[in-house]
Coordinates of all heavy atoms in Angstrom, one line a residue:
K528 N -112.7 40.0 68.1 CA -113.9 40.4 68.8 C -115.2 39.8 68.3 O -116.0 39.3 68.9 CB -113.9 41.9 68.8 CG -114.8 42.5 69.9 CD -114.6 44.1 70.0 CE -115.8 44.8 70.5 NZ -116.7 45.3 69.5
Q529 N -115.2 39.8 66.9 CA -116.4 39.2 66.2 C -116.5 37.8 66.4 O -117.5 37.2 66.5 CB -116.3 39.6 64.7 CG -116.7 41.0 64.3 CD -117.2 41.0 62.9 OE1 -117.1 40.1 62.1 NE2 -117.6 42.2 62.5
I530 N -115.3 37.2 66.5 CA -115.3 35.6 66.7 C -115.8 35.4 68.0 O -116.7 34.5 68.1 CB -113.8 35.2 66.5 CG1 -113.4 35.2 65.1 CG2 -113.7 33.7 67.0 CD1 -111.9 35.0 64.8
A531 N -115.3 36.1 69.0 CA -115.8 35.8 70.4 C -117.3 36.0 70.5 O -118.0 35.2 71.1 CB -115.0 36.7 71.4
S532 N -117.8 37.1 69.9 CA -119.2 37.4 70.0 C -120.0 36.3 69.3 O -121.0 35.8 69.8 CB -119.4 38.8 69.3 OG -120.8 38.9 69.1
T533 N -119.6 36.0 68.1 CA -120.4 35.1 67.2 C -120.4 33.6 67.8 O -121.3 32.9 67.6 CB -119.9 35.1 65.8 OG1 -119.8 36.4 65.3 CG2 -120.8 34.3 64.8
F534 N -119.3 33.3 68.5 CA -119.2 32.0 69.1 C -120.5 31.8 70.0 O -121.1 30.7 70.0 CB -118.0 31.9 70.0 CG -117.8 30.5 70.5 CD1 -117.2 29.5 69.8 CD2 -118.3 30.1 71.9 CE1 -117.1 28.1 70.3 CE2 -118.1 28.9 72.3 CZ -117.5 27.9 71.6
A535 N -120.9 32.8 70.6 CA -122.1 32.7 71.5 C -123.5 32.6 70.8 O -124.5 32.5 71.3 CB -122.2 33.9 72.5
G536 N -123.4 32.7 69.5 CA -124.6 32.4 68.7 C -124.8 31.0 68.2 O -125.6 30.7 67.5
L537 N -123.8 30.1 68.6 CA -123.9 28.7 68.3 C -125.0 28.1 69.1 O -125.2 28.3 70.3 CB -122.6 28.0 68.7 CG -121.4 28.0 67.7 CD1 -120.2 27.3 68.4 CD2 -121.7 27.4 66.4
R538 N -125.7 27.2 68.5 CA -126.7 26.3 69.1 C -125.9 25.2 70.0 O -124.7 25.1 69.8 CB -127.6 25.6 68.2 CG -128.5 26.5 67.3 CD -129.1 25.7 66.2 NE -130.1 26.5 65.5 CZ -130.7 26.2 64.4 NH1 -130.3 25.1 63.7 NH2 -131.6 26.9 63.9
P539 N -126.6 24.6 71.0 CA -125.9 23.6 71.8 C -125.4 22.5 70.8 O -125.9 22.3 69.8 CB -127.0 23.0 72.6 CG -128.0 24.0 72.8 CD -128.0 24.9 71.4
R540 N -124.2 22.0 71.1 CA -123.4 21.1 70.3 C -122.9 21.7 69.0 O -122.5 21.0 68.1 CB -124.1 19.8 69.9 CG -124.5 18.9 71.2 CD -125.1 17.6 70.7 NE -125.8 16.9 71.8 CZ -125.2 16.2 72.7 NH1 -124.0 16.0 72.7 NH2 -125.9 15.7 73.7
G541 N -123.0 23.0 69.0 CA -122.4 23.7 67.8 C -121.0 23.8 67.6 O -120.2 23.6 68.6
R542 N -120.5 23.8 66.4 CA -119.0 23.9 66.1 C -118.7 25.2 65.4 O -119.3 25.5 64.4 CB -118.7 22.6 65.2 CG -118.8 21.3 65.9 CD -120.1 20.8 65.8 NE -120.6 20.3 64.5 CZ -121.9 20.1 64.2 NH1 -122.9 20.3 65.0 NH2 -122.1 19.7 63.0
F543 N -117.7 25.8 66.0 CA -117.2 27.1 65.4 C -115.9 26.8 64.7 O -114.9 26.4 65.4 CB -117.1 28.2 66.5 CG -116.7 29.5 66.0 CD1 -117.7 30.5 66.0 CD2 -115.5 29.8 65.5 CE1 -117.5 31.8 65.5 CE2 -115.2 31.1 65.0 CZ -116.2 32.1 65.0
V544 N -115.8 27.0 63.4 CA -114.5 26.7 62.7 C -113.8 28.0 62.3 O -114.4 28.8 61.5 CB -114.8 25.8 61.5 CG1 -113.4 25.5 60.8 CG2 -115.5 24.6 61.9
N545 N -112.7 28.3 62.9 CA -112.0 29.5 62.5 C -110.9 29.3 61.4 O -110.0 28.4 61.6 CB -111.2 30.0 63.8 CG -110.3 31.2 63.5 OD1 -110.9 32.3 63.0 ND2 -109.1 31.2 63.6
M546 N -111.0 30.0 60.4 CA -110.2 29.9 59.2 C -109.4 31.1 58.9 O -108.6 31.1 58.0 CB -110.9 29.5 58.0 CG -111.6 28.0 58.2 SD -112.8 27.6 56.9 CE -114.1 28.7 57.3
G547 N -109.6 32.2 59.7 CA -108.9 33.4 59.4 C -107.7 33.5 60.4 O -107.5 32.8 61.2
L548 N -106.9 34.6 60.1 CA -105.8 35.0 61.0 C -106.3 36.1 61.8 O -106.2 37.3 61.4 CB -104.6 35.3 60.3 CG -103.6 34.2 59.9 CD1 -102.4 34.7 59.3 CD2 -103.2 33.4 61.1
P549 N -106.9 36.0 63.0 CA -107.5 37.1 63.8 C -106.4 38.1 64.2 O -105.2 37.8 64.4 CB -108.2 36.5 64.9 CG -108.1 35.0 64.7 CD -107.1 34.8 63.7
D550 N -106.9 39.3 64.5 CA -106.0 40.4 65.0 C -105.7 40.3 66.5 O -105.3 41.4 67.1 CB -106.7 41.7 64.6 CG -108.1 41.8 65.2 OD1 -108.5 40.9 65.9 OD2 -108.9 42.8 64.8
G551 N -105.9 39.2 67.1 CA -105.6 39.1 68.5 C -106.0 37.7 69.1 O -106.5 36.9 68.3
A552 N -105.9 37.5 70.3 CA -106.3 36.3 71.0 C -107.9 36.2 71.0 O -108.6 37.2 71.0 CB -105.8 36.3 72.4
I553 N -108.3 35.0 70.8 CA -109.8 34.7 70.7 C -110.2 34.5 72.2 O -109.8 33.5 72.9 CB -110.1 33.5 69.9 CG1 -109.6 33.8 68.4 CG2 -111.6 33.2 69.9 CD1 -109.7 32.6 67.5
M554 N -111.0 35.3 72.7 CA -111.5 35.3 74.1 C -112.9 34.8 74.2 O -113.9 35.5 74.0 CB -111.4 36.7 74.8 CG -110.1 37.4 74.6 SD -108.8 36.6 75.5 CE -109.0 37.4 77.1
I555 N -113.0 33.5 74.4 CA -114.3 32.8 74.4 C -114.8 32.8 75.8 O -114.1 32.5 76.8 CB -114.2 31.4 73.9 CG1 -113.7 31.5 72.4 CG2 -115.5 30.6 74.0 CD1 -114.7 31.9 71.4
D556 N -116.1 33.0 76.0 CA -116.7 32.8 77.3 C -116.8 31.3 77.7 O -117.4 30.5 77.0 CB -118.2 33.4 77.2 CG -118.9 33.2 78.5 OD1 -118.5 32.5 79.4 OD2 -120.0 34.0 78.7
P557 N -116.0 30.9 78.8 CA -116.0 29.5 79.1 C -117.3 28.9 79.4 O -117.5 27.7 79.2 CB -115.0 29.5 80.2 CG -115.0 30.8 80.9 CD -115.3 31.7 79.7
M558 N -118.2 29.7 79.9 CA -119.6 29.1 80.3 C -120.2 28.7 78.9 O -120.9 27.6 78.9 CB -120.4 30.2 81.0 CG -119.8 30.7 82.2 SD -120.1 29.5 83.6 CE -121.8 30.1 84.1
V559 N -120.2 29.6 77.9 CA -120.8 29.3 76.6 C -120.1 28.0 76.0 O -120.8 27.2 75.4 CB -120.8 30.5 75.7 CG1 -121.3 30.2 74.3 CG2 -121.4 31.7 76.3
L560 N -118.8 27.9 76.2 CA -118.1 26.8 75.6 C -118.5 25.5 76.2 O -118.7 24.5 75.6 CB -116.5 27.1 75.8 CG -115.5 26.0 75.3 CD1 -115.6 25.9 73.8 CD2 -114.2 26.3 75.9
M561 N -118.5 25.5 77.5 CA -118.7 24.3 78.3 C -120.2 23.8 78.3 O -120.5 22.7 77.9 CB -118.3 24.5 79.7 CG -118.3 23.3 80.6 SD -117.6 23.6 82.2 CE -118.7 24.8 82.9
F562 N -121.1 24.7 78.7 CA -122.4 24.3 78.7 C -123.1 24.3 77.3 O -123.0 25.3 76.6 CB -123.3 25.2 79.7 CG -122.9 25.1 81.1 CD1 -122.2 26.2 81.7 CD2 -123.1 24.0 81.8 CE1 -121.8 26.1 83.0 CE2 -122.6 23.8 83.1 CZ -122.0 25.0 83.7
G563 N -123.5 23.2 76.9 CA -124.0 23.2 75.6 C -122.9 22.4 74.6 O -123.2 22.2 73.5
Q564 N -121.9 22.0 75.2 CA -120.8 21.1 74.6 C -120.4 21.8 73.2 O -120.3 21.1 72.2 CB -121.4 19.8 74.3 CG -122.3 19.1 75.3 CD -121.7 18.9 76.6 OE1 -120.5 18.7 76.7 NE2 -122.4 19.1 77.7
R565 N -120.3 23.1 73.2 CA -119.8 23.7 72.0 C -118.3 23.6 71.7 O -117.5 23.3 72.7 CB -120.2 25.2 72.1 CG -121.7 25.5 72.2 CD -121.9 27.0 72.2 NE -123.4 27.2 72.3 CZ -124.1 27.1 73.4 NH1 -123.5 26.8 74.6 NH2 -125.4 27.3 73.4
Q566 N -117.9 23.7 70.5 CA -116.5 23.5 70.1 C -116.0 24.6 69.3 O -116.7 25.2 68.5 CB -116.4 22.2 69.3 CG -116.7 20.9 69.9 CD -116.7 19.7 68.9 OE1 -115.9 19.7 68.0 NE2 -117.5 18.7 69.2
L567 N -114.7 24.9 69.6 CA -114.0 25.9 68.8 C -112.8 25.1 68.2 O -112.0 24.4 68.8 CB -113.4 27.0 69.7 CG -112.4 28.0 69.0 CD1 -113.2 28.8 67.8 CD2 -111.8 28.9 70.0
R568 N -112.7 25.1 66.9 CA -111.6 24.5 66.2 C -111.0 25.3 65.1 O -111.7 26.2 64.5 CB -112.0 23.1 65.7 CG -112.7 23.0 64.5 CD -112.8 21.5 64.0 NE -111.5 21.1 63.4 CZ -111.3 19.7 63.2 NH1 -112.3 18.8 63.3 NH2 -110.2 19.4 62.7
G569 N -109.8 25.2 64.9 CA -109.0 25.8 63.8 C -109.1 24.8 62.6 O -109.1 23.7 62.7
S570 N -109.0 25.4 61.4 CA -108.9 24.7 60.2 C -108.2 25.4 59.1 O -108.4 26.6 59.0 CB -110.4 24.3 59.8 OG -110.3 23.5 58.6
S571 N -107.4 24.7 58.4 CA -106.8 25.2 57.2 C -107.0 24.2 56.1 O -107.9 23.4 56.2 CB -105.3 25.6 57.4 OG -104.6 24.5 57.8
Q572 N -106.1 24.2 55.1 CA -106.2 23.2 54.0 C -105.9 21.8 54.6 O -104.9 21.6 55.1 CB -105.4 23.5 52.9 CG -105.7 24.9 52.3 CD -104.8 25.4 51.3 OE1 -103.8 24.7 50.8 NE2 -104.9 26.6 50.9
D573 N -106.9 20.9 54.6 CA -106.7 19.6 55.2 C -106.7 18.5 54.2 O -105.7 18.4 53.4 CB -107.8 19.4 56.3 CG -107.5 18.4 57.3 OD1 -106.4 17.8 57.3 OD2 -108.4 18.0 58.1
E574 N -107.7 17.7 54.2 CA -107.6 16.5 53.3 C -107.6 16.9 51.8 O -108.3 17.8 51.4 CB -108.8 15.6 53.5 CG -109.0 15.0 54.9 CD -108.0 13.9 55.2 OE1 -107.3 13.4 54.2 OE2 -107.8 13.5 56.3
R575 N -106.8 16.3 51.0 CA -106.7 16.5 49.6 C -108.0 16.3 48.9 O -108.4 17.0 47.9 CB -105.6 15.6 49.0 CG -105.4 15.7 47.5 CD -104.4 16.8 47.2 NE -104.1 16.8 45.8 CZ -103.0 16.3 45.3 NH1 -102.0 15.9 46.0 NH2 -102.8 16.2 44.0
S576 N -108.8 15.5 49.5 CA -110.1 15.2 48.9 C -111.0 16.4 49.0 O -112.0 16.6 48.3 CB -110.8 14.0 49.6 OG -110.9 14.2 50.9
D577 N -110.8 17.3 49.9 CA -111.6 18.5 50.1 C -111.3 19.4 48.9 O -112.3 20.0 48.4 CB -111.2 19.3 51.4 CG -111.4 18.5 52.7 OD1 -112.3 17.6 52.6 OD2 -110.7 18.7 53.7
L578 N -110.1 19.5 48.4 CA -109.8 20.2 47.3 C -110.4 19.7 46.0 O -111.0 20.4 45.2 CB -108.3 20.3 47.0 CG -107.7 21.0 45.7 CD1 -108.2 22.4 45.6 CD2 -106.2 20.9 45.6
Y579 N -110.4 18.3 45.9 CA -111.0 17.7 44.7 C -112.5 18.0 44.7 O -113.1 18.4 43.7 CB -110.7 16.2 44.9 CG -111.3 15.4 43.7 CD1 -110.7 15.3 42.5 CD2 -112.5 14.8 43.9 CE1 -111.2 14.7 41.4 CE2 -113.1 14.1 42.8 CZ -112.5 14.0 41.6 OH -113.0 13.3 40.5
E580 N -113.1 17.9 45.9 CA -114.6 18.0 46.0 C -114.9 19.5 45.6 O -115.9 19.8 44.8 CB -115.0 17.8 47.5 CG -116.5 17.8 47.6 CD -116.9 17.5 49.1 OE1 -116.0 17.5 50.0 OE2 -118.1 17.2 49.3
A581 N -114.1 20.5 46.1 CA -114.4 21.9 45.8 C -114.3 22.1 44.3 O -115.1 22.8 43.7 CB -113.4 22.7 46.6
L582 N -113.2 21.5 43.6 CA -113.0 21.8 42.2 C -114.2 21.1 41.4 O -114.7 21.6 40.4 CB -111.7 21.1 41.8 CG -110.5 22.0 42.1 CD1 -109.2 21.1 41.8 CD2 -110.4 23.2 41.3
Q583 N -114.7 20.0 41.9 CA -115.9 19.3 41.3 C -117.1 20.2 41.3 O -117.9 20.2 40.3 CB -116.1 17.9 41.8 CG -115.0 16.9 41.5 CD -114.7 16.7 40.1 OE1 -115.7 16.6 39.3 NE2 -113.4 16.7 39.7
L584 N -117.3 20.8 42.5 CA -118.5 21.7 42.6 C -118.5 22.9 41.6 O -119.5 23.3 41.2 CB -118.7 22.1 44.1 CG -119.1 21.0 45.0 CD1 -119.1 21.5 46.5 CD2 -120.6 20.5 44.7
V585 N -117.3 23.3 41.4 CA -117.1 24.4 40.4 C -117.4 23.8 38.9 O -118.1 24.4 38.1 CB -115.7 25.1 40.5 CG1 -115.6 26.1 39.4 CG2 -115.6 25.7 41.8
A586 N -116.8 22.6 38.7 CA -116.9 22.0 37.4 C -118.4 21.7 37.0 O -118.8 21.8 35.9 CB -116.1 20.7 37.3
N587 N -119.2 21.3 38.0 CA -120.6 20.9 37.7 C -121.5 22.2 37.9 O -122.7 22.0 37.9 CB -121.1 19.7 38.5 CG -121.1 19.9 40.0 OD1 -121.3 21.1 40.5 ND2 -121.0 18.9 40.7
G588 N -121.0 23.3 38.1 CA -121.7 24.6 38.1 C -122.5 24.8 39.4 O -123.2 25.8 39.4
K589 N -122.3 24.0 40.4 CA -123.0 24.2 41.7 C -122.4 25.5 42.4 O -123.0 26.1 43.2 CB -123.0 23.0 42.5 CG -123.8 21.9 42.0 CD -124.6 21.3 43.1 CE -125.8 20.5 42.5 NZ -125.4 19.3 41.6
V590 N -121.1 25.7 42.2 CA -120.4 26.8 42.9 C -119.7 27.7 41.8 O -119.1 27.2 41.0 CB -119.3 26.3 43.9 CG1 -118.5 27.4 44.4 CG2 -120.1 25.5 45.0
K591 N -120.0 29.0 41.9 CA -119.3 29.9 40.9 C -118.6 31.0 41.7 O -119.2 31.9 42.3 CB -120.4 30.6 40.1 CG -121.1 29.7 39.2 CD -122.1 30.6 38.3 CE -122.7 29.7 37.2 NZ -123.8 28.8 37.7
P592 N -117.2 30.9 41.7 CA -116.5 32.0 42.2 C -116.8 33.4 41.5 O -116.9 33.4 40.3 CB -115.0 31.6 41.9 CG -115.0 30.2 41.7 CD -116.3 29.9 41.1
V593 N -117.0 34.4 42.4 CA -117.2 35.7 41.9 C -116.0 36.5 41.8 O -115.3 36.7 42.9 CB -118.3 36.4 42.7 CG1 -118.7 37.8 42.2 CG2 -119.6 35.6 42.7
L594 N -115.6 37.0 40.6 CA -114.2 37.5 40.5 C -114.1 39.0 39.9 O -115.0 39.4 39.2 CB -113.5 36.6 39.4 CG -113.6 35.1 39.6 CD1 -113.0 34.4 38.4 CD2 -112.8 34.7 40.9
E595 N -113.1 39.5 40.3 CA -112.6 40.8 39.6 C -111.2 40.4 39.0 O -110.4 39.8 39.7 CB -112.4 42.0 40.6 CG -113.6 42.4 41.3 CD -113.3 43.6 42.3 OE1 -112.1 43.8 42.5 OE2 -114.2 44.0 42.9
T596 N -111.0 40.7 37.7 CA -109.7 40.3 37.1 C -108.9 41.5 36.8 O -109.4 42.5 36.4 CB -109.9 39.4 35.9 OG1 -110.6 40.1 34.9 CG2 -110.6 38.0 36.2
Y597 N -107.6 41.4 37.0 CA -106.7 42.4 36.8 C -105.5 41.9 35.9 O -105.1 40.8 36.3 CB -106.1 43.0 38.0 CG -107.2 43.6 38.9 CD1 -108.0 42.8 39.8 CD2 -107.5 45.0 38.8 CE1 -109.0 43.3 40.5 CE2 -108.4 45.6 39.6 CZ -109.2 44.8 40.5 OH -110.3 45.3 41.2
P598 N -104.9 42.7 35.0 CA -103.6 42.3 34.5 C -102.5 42.5 35.6 O -102.7 43.2 36.6 CB -103.4 43.3 33.4 CG -104.1 44.5 33.8 CD -105.3 44.1 34.6
L599 N -101.4 41.7 35.4 CA -100.2 41.8 36.4 C -99.8 43.3 36.7 O -99.5 43.6 37.8 CB -99.1 41.0 35.9 CG -97.9 40.8 36.9 CD1 -98.3 40.2 38.2 CD2 -96.7 40.1 36.3
A600 N -99.8 44.1 35.6 CA -99.4 45.4 35.8 C -100.2 46.2 36.7 O -99.8 47.3 37.3 CB -99.5 46.2 34.4
K601 N -101.5 45.8 37.0 CA -102.4 46.5 38.0 C -102.5 45.7 39.3 O -103.4 45.9 40.0 CB -103.8 46.7 37.4 CG -103.8 47.6 36.2 CD -105.2 48.1 35.9 CE -105.1 49.3 34.8 NZ -106.4 49.6 34.2
V602 N -101.5 44.9 39.6 CA -101.6 44.1 40.9 C -101.7 45.0 42.1 O -102.4 44.6 43.1 CB -100.4 43.1 40.9 CG1 -99.1 43.8 41.2 CG2 -100.5 42.1 42.0
N603 N -101.1 46.2 42.0 CA -101.1 47.0 43.3 C -102.5 47.6 43.4 O -103.0 47.7 44.6 CB -100.1 48.1 43.1 CG -98.7 47.6 43.5 OD1 -98.4 47.1 44.5 ND2 -97.8 47.8 42.4
E604 N -103.2 47.9 42.3 CA -104.6 48.4 42.5 C -105.5 47.3 43.0 O -106.2 47.6 44.0 CB -105.1 48.7 41.1 CG -106.4 49.4 41.0 CD -106.9 49.5 39.5 OE1 -106.0 50.0 38.7 OE2 -108.0 49.2 39.2
A605 N -105.3 46.0 42.7 CA -106.0 44.9 43.2 C -105.7 44.7 44.7 O -106.6 44.5 45.6 CB -105.7 43.7 42.4
R606 N -104.4 44.9 45.0 CA -104.0 44.7 46.4 C -104.6 45.7 47.3 O -105.1 45.5 48.4 CB -102.4 44.8 46.5 CG -102.0 44.6 48.0 CD -100.5 44.7 48.0 NE -99.9 45.9 47.3 CZ -100.0 47.1 47.8 NH1 -100.6 47.4 48.9 NH2 -99.5 48.2 47.1
E607 N -104.7 47.0 46.8 CA -105.3 48.1 47.6 C -106.8 47.9 47.7 O -107.4 48.2 48.9 CB -105.0 49.4 47.0 CG -103.5 50.0 47.3 CD -103.0 51.0 46.4 OE1 -103.8 51.6 45.6 OE2 -101.8 51.1 46.3
R608 N -107.5 47.5 46.8 CA -108.9 47.1 46.8 C -109.2 46.1 47.9 O -110.2 46.1 48.6 CB -109.5 46.8 45.5 CG -109.9 48.0 44.6 CD -110.5 47.5 43.3 NE -111.7 46.8 43.4 CZ -112.9 47.5 43.5 NH1 -113.0 48.7 43.8 NH2 -114.0 46.7 43.6
L609 N -108.3 45.1 47.9 CA -108.4 44.0 48.9 C -108.3 44.5 50.3 O -109.0 44.2 51.2 CB -107.4 42.9 48.6 CG -107.3 41.7 49.5 CD1 -108.6 40.9 49.5 CD2 -106.2 40.7 49.1
E610 N -107.3 45.3 50.4 CA -106.8 45.9 51.7 C -108.0 46.8 52.3 O -108.3 46.8 53.5 CB -105.6 46.7 51.6 CG -105.1 47.2 53.0 CD -103.7 46.6 53.3 OE1 -102.8 46.7 52.5 OE2 -103.6 46.0 54.3
T611 N -108.7 47.5 51.5 CA -109.8 48.4 51.9 C -111.1 47.7 51.8 O -112.2 48.4 51.9 CB -109.8 49.6 51.1 OG1 -109.8 49.2 49.6 CG2 -108.6 50.5 51.3
G612 N -111.2 46.4 51.6 CA -112.4 45.6 51.7 C -113.5 45.9 50.5 O -114.7 45.8 50.6
K613 N -112.9 46.3 49.4 CA -113.7 46.7 48.2 C -113.9 45.5 47.2 O -114.8 45.6 46.4 CB -113.2 47.8 47.5 CG -113.1 49.1 48.3 CD -112.7 50.3 47.5 CE -112.7 51.6 48.3 NZ -111.5 52.3 48.2
V614 N -113.1 44.5 47.3 CA -113.2 43.4 46.3 C -114.4 42.6 46.4 O -114.8 42.2 47.5 CB -111.9 42.5 46.4 CG1 -112.1 41.3 45.5 CG2 -110.6 43.2 46.1
R615 N -115.1 42.3 45.2 CA -116.2 41.5 45.1 C -115.8 40.3 44.2 O -115.9 40.5 43.0 CB -117.5 42.1 44.6 CG -118.0 43.3 45.5 CD -118.8 42.6 46.6 NE -119.8 43.5 47.2 CZ -119.6 44.6 48.0 NH1 -118.3 44.8 48.3 NH2 -120.5 45.5 48.4
Y616 N -115.7 39.0 44.7 CA -115.4 38.7 46.0 C -114.0 38.2 46.1 O -113.4 38.1 47.1 CB -116.4 37.6 46.5 CG -117.7 38.2 46.8 CD1 -118.7 38.6 45.9 CD2 -117.9 38.5 48.3 CE1 -119.8 39.1 46.3 CE2 -119.2 39.1 48.6 CZ -120.1 39.4 47.6 OH -121.3 40.0 48.0
R617 N -113.4 37.9 44.8 CA -111.9 37.5 44.8 C -111.3 38.3 43.7 O -111.8 38.3 42.5 CB -111.9 36.0 44.5 CG -110.5 35.4 44.8 CD -110.0 35.7 46.2 NE -109.3 34.7 46.8 CZ -108.9 34.8 48.1 NH1 -109.2 35.9 48.8 NH2 -108.2 33.8 48.7
A618 N -110.1 38.9 43.9 CA -109.3 39.5 42.9 C -108.5 38.5 42.2 O -107.8 37.8 43.0 CB -108.6 40.7 43.4
V619 N -108.4 38.4 40.9 CA -107.6 37.4 40.3 C -106.7 38.1 39.3 O -107.2 38.9 38.5 CB -108.4 36.3 39.6 CG1 -107.6 35.4 38.8 CG2 -109.2 35.5 40.6
I620 N -105.4 37.8 39.3 CA -104.5 38.4 38.3 C -104.5 37.5 37.1 O -104.4 36.2 37.3 CB -103.1 38.5 38.9 CG1 -103.0 39.3 40.2 CG2 -102.1 39.0 37.9 CD1 -103.5 40.8 40.0
K621 N -104.8 38.0 36.0 CA -104.8 37.2 34.7 C -103.6 37.4 33.9 O -103.4 38.5 33.5 CB -106.1 37.5 33.9 CG -107.3 36.6 34.2 CD -108.3 36.8 33.1 CE -108.1 35.8 31.9 NZ -109.1 35.8 31.0
H622 N -102.7 36.5 33.8 CA -101.5 36.6 33.1 C -101.7 36.4 31.6 O -100.9 37.0 30.8 CB -100.4 35.6 33.7 CG -100.1 35.8 35.1 ND1 -99.1 36.7 35.4 CD2 -100.5 35.2 36.2 CE1 -99.0 36.7 36.8 NE2 -99.8 35.8 37.3

Side-chain angles (χ1 to χ4, degrees):
K528 197 168 155 267
Q529 280 203 354
I530 292 170
S532 162
T533 309
F534 186 84
L537 279 177
R538 292 170 174 169
R540 297 187 197 274
R542 291 85 71 199
F543 188 106
V544 182
N545 178 59
M546 295 172 287
L548 272 184
D550 51 8
I553 300 171
M554 309 291 273
I555 297 289
D556 180 342
M558 300 281 271
V559 177
L560 178 68
M561 183 174 66
F562 296 111
Q564 327 296 328
R565 293 179 182 84
Q566 295 176 31
L567 171 65
R568 74 171 289 171
S570 182
S571 57
Q572 297 170 13
D573 195 8
E574 297 288 345
R575 178 82 173 256
S576 56
D577 301 332
L578 171 60
Y579 180 80
E580 187 179 14
L582 284 167
Q583 291 304 314
L584 285 171
V585 177
N587 67 25
K589 291 226 160 58
V590 170
K591 290 190 177 70
V593 180
L594 311 171
E595 296 178 357
T596 57
Y597 298 84
L599 184 63
K601 292 199 169 166
V602 70
N603 286 300
E604 188 184 312
R606 180 182 52 73
E607 277 160 22
R608 275 179 66 79
L609 178 62
E610 189 113 56
T611 50
K613 292 187 183 129
V614 171
R615 294 282 204 283
Y616 280 81
R617 197 51 143 188
V619 173
I620 305 302
K621 267 195 87 173
H622 296 277

